[in-house]
Amino acid sequence: MYVDNEEDRRDLFQEIIIQLWKAFPKFRGESKISTWMYRVALNTAISYFRKQSRKPQRTSLERSFLQIADEEYDFDYEEKLKILKSAIDRLTKIEKAIIMLYLEEKNYEEIAETVGITQNYVRVKMNRIKNKLKKTLTKK
Amino acid sequence: MEINDLKSLWNELAKNQAESKIVAADEIKKLIKGKTHHAIGKINRGIMLEVGSLLLMTLFFSISIFLYEHIAHKPLLSVVIIFCLASVLYYWIKYRRINQIINSGNNLRESLRILTKTLDYFLKFYLYSSLIVTPIAFVTGFFYGYFSLDDSQTPKDLSLSIIGILLILSILLVIVIYPFMKWYIRRLYGRYLDELKTCLQELEVDSIS
């Protein structure tokens, strides 16, 4: 969602593992471990410092994104994944974070807690995101 | 395609990817030992580099104190060494403070606030310290050279015109390096900081509305 190619994806995954490892001693159990993990992972993904010299390779992302579809030759699934990717690509980083949590079946309270905004504002953002996605999806 | 379809599609994708990307314990150990690309990690490496160079300079000047007999060397080099050690202390305090605020498991908004504030502060400090240190190094270098000359080559005292020229050259030096430093800092962190600020702004709208 936040990176364009396989190398960056590997780096970001590594980065999240490092940050989770460093952050774990500070975990005080005030929230669910899953909420805490999402917080650390999202913080890392949004503040990820991409190497300057690396240029985005959109084709490799698509290849990786559609890896499963390639194996099964499910063209319908492949097409749907393409639409999902292009719809998400049009969102801002914050909107991506919110929709990702929504897709992960998190309720508004958990989304608000992870992102640091009020539940009302989550609703506002969700409406905007849904409208944006609707526009992209209906075009397809 | 409806938005609810996205949810099932996402779940299917997540399930498939989770199954294909299970990481073994050994692999996690390797990942943890890897180099971080996080901005804070980059700042930390920058600080360590500065501290390393300052300690090397301190060592070099400490040895130089005993190598030269001239009366002006000792006070000049002592000032430089004290300056280097004070900078090392400052950087060490900053390093500790930066590392206390990261990985605290804060929410996204709070993390972005801390990160942008820290980066902003660090970049300003980096810019202004460079602008201050460069003319100081230039003037110190001049005095070092001036007092190193034999008596026959040295004017008896420092005239006001020499001090004036030094002052003008120092100001010119600052004027020349200012745009360069701005460009350098912007190249290193500028776009990244702008992106973070945009994200934060998007979240801060909540407290305004």
Side-chain angles (χ1 to χ4, degrees):
Chain A
M1 226 185 221
Y2 287 102
V3 284
D4 284 340
N5 59 60
E6 192 52 40
E7 206 179 335
D8 272 335
R9 207 179 339 274
R10 265 203 315 272
D11 281 352
L12 180 56
F13 178 65
Q14 176 183 1
E15 198 60 56
I16 291 171
I17 298 281
I18 292 173
Q19 298 303 332
L20 280 170
W21 178 259
K22 282 183 182 171
F24 189 69
K26 291 171 196 165
F27 175 58
R28 294 182 294 269
E30 287 163 359
S31 56
K32 278 198 274 179
I33 184 111
S34 61
T35 308
W36 171 81
M37 284 175 85
Y38 274 113
R39 274 184 180 185
V40 175
L42 267 181
N43 287 343
T44 311
I46 287 196
S47 56
Y48 178 64
F49 198 104
R50 196 182 302 167
K51 287 170 193 165
Q52 298 291 316
S53 56
R54 204 173 285 163
K55 285 178 184 158
Q57 297 163 352
R58 291 193 170 270
T59 46
S60 72
L61 168 71
E62 269 160 24
R63 203 180 306 130
S64 144
F65 211 68
L66 303 172
Q67 196 181 356
I68 305 137
D70 283 348
E71 285 164 9
E72 295 166 4
Y73 295 102
D74 184 345
F75 292 110
D76 184 45
Y77 182 63
E78 187 177 326
E79 190 54 36
K80 279 181 179 172
L81 282 179
K82 261 186 188 170
I83 295 170
L84 172 67
K85 190 201 159 291
S86 71
I88 288 174
D89 267 355
R90 284 162 201 265
L91 303 175
T92 65
K93 278 185 170 185
I94 298 296
E95 288 170 340
K96 280 179 186 172
I98 294 171
I99 194 69
M100 196 268 281
L101 291 166
Y102 172 79
L103 292 171
E104 291 281 330
E105 309 279 356
K106 301 286 163 203
N107 59 37
Y108 283 1
E109 191 188 343
E110 280 175 290
I111 297 177
E113 202 187 321
T114 308
V115 180
I117 52 178
T118 59
Q119 285 188 50
N120 273 342
Y121 194 51
V122 174
R123 278 189 195 93
V124 173
K125 292 293 281 178
M126 271 312 297
N127 275 334
R128 282 184 204 154
I129 295 167
K130 279 180 181 173
N131 284 336
K132 254 191 190 182
L133 289 176
K134 217 174 221 172
K135 270 185 200 167
T136 318
L137 297 175
T138 46
K139 272 182 201 167
K140 306 282 169 185
Chain B
M1 195 197 288
E2 288 298 315
I3 287 161
N4 283 338
D5 294 339
L6 286 184
K7 226 176 197 175
S8 53
L9 190 62
W10 177 267
N11 287 337
E12 203 177 335
L13 178 73
K15 194 179 153 229
N16 288 335
Q17 288 203 332
E19 277 168 6
S20 64
K21 285 187 177 167
I22 293 169
V23 187
D26 285 356
E27 227 170 313
I28 290 180
K29 271 185 200 165
K30 263 186 218 165
L31 290 172
I32 291 166
K33 281 179 190 163
K35 192 170 140 189
T36 175
H37 296 297
H38 195 274
I40 296 286
K42 211 170 151 73
I43 291 177
N44 278 344
R45 281 199 291 278
I47 291 178
M48 290 316 238
L49 197 72
E50 297 278 349
V51 168
S53 331
L54 283 165
L55 287 175
L56 272 177
M57 276 166 67
T58 309
L59 185 73
F60 171 75
F61 289 126
S62 303
I63 294 168
S64 302
I65 271 189
F66 299 103
L67 291 181
Y68 299 101
E69 290 293 313
H70 199 285
I71 196 161
H73 283 133
K74 278 189 171 64
L76 268 174
L77 289 178
S78 303
V79 169
V80 175
I81 289 169
I82 289 168
F83 178 80
C84 286
L85 289 175
S87 304
V88 167
L89 186 70
Y90 177 83
Y91 275 122
W92 184 246
I93 293 168
K94 279 258 75 123
Y95 178 81
R96 283 191 60 121
R97 206 171 282 172
I98 285 172
N99 285 283
Q100 272 165 6
I101 56 165
I102 55 164
N103 313 313
S104 54
N106 285 322
N107 61 50
L108 187 57
R109 188 188 197 169
E110 196 53 33
S111 296
L112 281 172
R113 270 186 196 153
I114 294 170
L115 188 55
T116 47
K117 206 172 151 188
T118 308
L119 259 176
D120 241 349
Y121 181 82
F122 177 75
L123 296 186
K124 273 184 193 142
F125 171 76
Y126 195 65
L127 173 70
Y128 293 121
S129 61
S130 308
L131 292 181
I132 293 167
V133 167
T134 310
I136 290 177
F138 169 70
V139 172
T140 313
F142 171 83
F143 281 119
Y144 190 83
Y146 185 84
F147 289 118
S148 301
L149 295 170
D150 292 332
D151 280 349
S152 54
Q153 294 170 278
T154 315
K156 276 181 183 162
D157 56 352
L158 276 170
S159 66
L160 271 176
S161 58
I162 291 177
I163 292 171
I165 289 168
L166 269 181
L167 199 70
I168 291 165
L169 284 176
S170 300
I171 293 167
L172 278 175
L173 203 60
V174 171
I175 293 170
V176 168
I177 64 158
Y178 179 77
F180 170 74
M181 285 310 294
K182 284 285 263 190
W183 169 82
Y184 181 66
I185 287 171
R186 174 112 202 118
R187 195 176 167 274
L188 277 183
Y189 293 99
R191 214 176 58 188
Y192 174 75
L193 188 59
D194 289 346
E195 271 179 28
L196 291 182
K197 281 182 176 170
T198 310
C199 288
L200 182 61
Q201 251 172 2
E202 203 176 325
L203 293 173
E204 298 287 25
V205 174
D206 187 24
S207 47
I208 300 164
S209 57

